[in-house]
Amino acid sequence: PESTVTVTLAGDKPKTHKVQIGKPAPLGGRFVRVDDGKAVGIIRPDAVLALARTKLDFADRTLLAFKAEELVAIARTKGKDEFELLPGAGDGWDVTKPAKQKADKLLVEELAESLSRLRAEKVAAFGKREDAFKQYGLEPAEAVLTLMVGDKPKVLRLGKPVDASKPDGDRYAAVEGAGPDAAVGVLPATLANKLLAPPVSFRDRGMAKFVDADKLELVRGSRKVTFAKVNGTWKVTAPFASEAEQAALDDLVAELARLRASDWVAEKPTPAELKAFGLENPEAAWVVSNADKVVLTLKLGKTTADGRVHALAGTTGMVALLSKSDTAKVLGEYRARKVWTLDAAQADAVEVARGDKRFALAKFGPLWADPAAPDDLIEPQPLSLPVKSEHEARAPATARSSWSPRPR
């Protein structure tokens, strides 16, 4: 057999059972035999995984455990680079190294919460600290984090990636202890990348803050559309007058008024970086105004493979990535999608042409009929489809960017 599991049942007369696991079965799972019996069965794939666990799969995966509110400092060294977070004014945090900047309170609090109950996805090794650290890239480490919890330091080492071909993937990690042995765990990529992020990533992620807006200008290449509130209702006012999507524009303004970066990618981008981010010649830009005063200018560049757009707000010069949901909003189409405004009850004739073929239907009292064949029965429900009301006849969202309304 490929593996054997021995199970001992307690009791007045302890009894031992032997489970032998063999080759994979043709339709999934594996062949199995119990207590050297003659019968051979098949166990499910999930049972195979459970029985194939090693000793390390049962090891305690806890790396750190403390109260998040007791964390008073985070220091990180990456080679010669130093980074430090300390409590700031009020209940906020500050980046104090390499240069003092206001840190993002929400981000640091989420990070503190994650570290306070840090668990590895799995334990990769347990043994002599010197050997384990060297094998998994923990000595020298990719980075060393020192967490001050009250007056006690806790040291977390981050090692090499689990898969060398995926530098942004899962990573090995270990907590320094007093004993000669150490456990090496695997941290998920999301958390590992946060802990290794450049200092700019920890800066306050607020990009905009205003109370209200009554005018929005969207520029895409040579196209420019202006939305303005007319008697409290959003309208397209340029290059021609048209209807606008009310609820969607209200939602956009609310989001822009408290816009946050999903992450910062550059503090002082070079011309080459701006070009790489698609911000040398922005693909789109929003100018938001209220009472003839500009409250936000937002330039939009290239969208990443994971659906986040590069953005630059105001004159700060800092380049951000917006979240997927915010990206969808700032790149959305807000002109009304009504193909027509029509009261279906007033329609009394319909003519449909397809190539060189056409047919017509006319309404006679409550019924519809084909004038050319009045005895043919006409089903009224399918007929209602092409004669939709103004609330139903809308251009699909996928066609919005190419559909251009024209003044009537």
Side-chain angles (χ1 to χ4, degrees):
E2 293 196 7
S3 60
T4 301
V5 179
T6 303
V7 181
T8 301
L9 304 178
D12 295 336
K13 295 181 179 180
K15 191 172 183 180
T16 299
H17 294 282
K18 182 171 66 174
V19 180
Q20 296 172 305
I21 302 172
K23 295 179 179 180
L27 298 179
R30 282 182 178 267
F31 294 111
V32 64
R33 185 172 68 161
V34 178
D35 294 338
D36 295 323
K38 294 182 179 180
V40 175
I42 297 174
I43 56 174
R44 302 189 312 268
D46 57 336
V48 174
L49 291 175
L51 293 172
R53 290 174 179 168
T54 66
K55 181 180 178 179
L56 290 177
D57 291 322
F58 295 95
D60 184 4
R61 293 183 284 129
T62 301
L63 295 177
L64 292 170
F66 58 86
K67 293 181 179 179
E69 59 270 21
E70 294 181 355
L71 181 65
V72 296
I74 301 175
R76 183 187 71 193
T77 57
K78 287 177 64 178
K80 296 181 179 180
D81 297 332
E82 293 186 348
F83 169 72
E84 186 178 56
L85 283 166
L86 293 175
D91 62 348
W93 286 77
D94 287 337
V95 176
T96 55
K97 290 181 181 180
K100 188 169 183 179
Q101 301 285 351
K102 182 182 177 183
D104 191 78
K105 179 175 179 290
L106 181 61
L107 173 67
V108 177
E109 288 179 348
E110 289 177 350
L111 186 61
E113 186 64 33
S114 296
L115 290 170
S116 71
R117 46 184 174 81
L118 185 62
R119 286 173 57 81
E121 286 195 329
K122 66 177 182 179
V123 176
F126 182 83
K128 295 297 182 182
R129 180 170 56 188
E130 183 178 348
D131 295 337
F133 280 11
K134 185 176 295 185
Q135 180 180 353
Y136 293 96
L138 294 159
E139 183 57 61
E142 177 73 18
V144 178
L145 276 78
T146 302
L147 314 177
M148 289 301 300
V149 181
D151 59 354
K152 297 179 180 179
K154 295 181 180 292
V155 180
L156 175 67
R157 289 175 167 266
L158 298 179
K160 62 185 180 181
V162 174
D163 185 342
S165 66
K166 298 178 180 179
D168 293 331
D170 298 348
R171 279 186 179 269
Y172 296 113
V175 174
E176 289 188 2
D181 295 328
V184 178
V186 174
L187 289 187
T190 302
L191 179 57
N193 291 330
K194 284 183 180 179
L195 297 175
L196 292 172
V200 68
S201 183
F202 294 87
R203 291 270 301 268
D204 184 2
R205 294 190 177 182
M207 296 180 67
K209 189 174 183 179
F210 58 86
V211 177
D212 201 2
D214 57 16
K215 182 180 177 182
L216 304 172
E217 292 177 297
L218 172 61
V219 178
R220 278 195 179 121
S222 60
R223 297 167 52 202
K224 181 178 179 180
V225 180
T226 301
F227 304 91
K229 276 192 172 181
V230 179
N231 297 324
T233 301
W234 286 107
K235 301 281 187 180
V236 176
T237 58
F240 46 77
S242 182
E243 298 298 313
E245 294 289 333
Q246 302 298 315
L249 280 170
D250 284 338
D251 187 41
L252 174 66
V253 170
E255 199 64 40
L256 292 177
R258 49 183 171 79
L259 186 64
R260 283 176 55 82
S262 171
D263 198 358
W264 295 113
V265 294
E267 185 174 9
K268 296 178 180 179
T270 63
E273 287 176 323
L274 286 175
K275 184 176 181 179
F277 299 144
L279 291 165
E280 181 183 41
N281 296 302
E283 297 187 14
W286 285 97
V287 179
V288 184
S289 304
N290 189 46
D292 295 325
K293 180 182 178 181
V294 175
V295 294
L296 173 66
T297 300
L298 183 68
K299 298 177 182 179
L300 306 171
K302 292 181 179 178
T303 302
T304 61
D306 65 355
R308 297 185 296 167
V309 71
H310 290 87
L312 189 132
T315 58
T316 63
M318 294 182 63
V319 177
L321 281 172
L322 301 187
S323 67
K324 293 180 183 179
S325 59
D326 285 345
T327 295
K329 289 176 182 178
V330 298
L331 295 179
E333 176 64 69
Y334 294 94
R335 292 172 297 178
R337 290 184 283 136
K338 295 177 184 176
V339 178
W340 57 43
T341 299
L342 173 68
D343 183 356
Q346 295 180 356
D348 58 12
V350 175
E351 183 175 324
V352 179
R354 289 178 180 168
D356 59 351
K357 297 181 180 180
R358 63 180 58 226
F359 67 90
L361 299 172
K363 197 172 185 181
F364 298 92
L367 303 176
W368 289 84
D370 181 353
D375 292 332
D376 291 350
L377 293 178
I378 303 297
E379 179 65 37
Q381 187 173 0
L383 182 61
S384 68
L385 295 177
V387 191
K388 291 187 177 181
S389 71
E390 59 179 294
H391 299 292
E392 296 175 287
R394 298 168 68 84
T398 54
R400 280 187 276 175
S401 61
S402 61
W403 180 72
S404 299
R406 290 289 183 266
R408 297 178 177 85

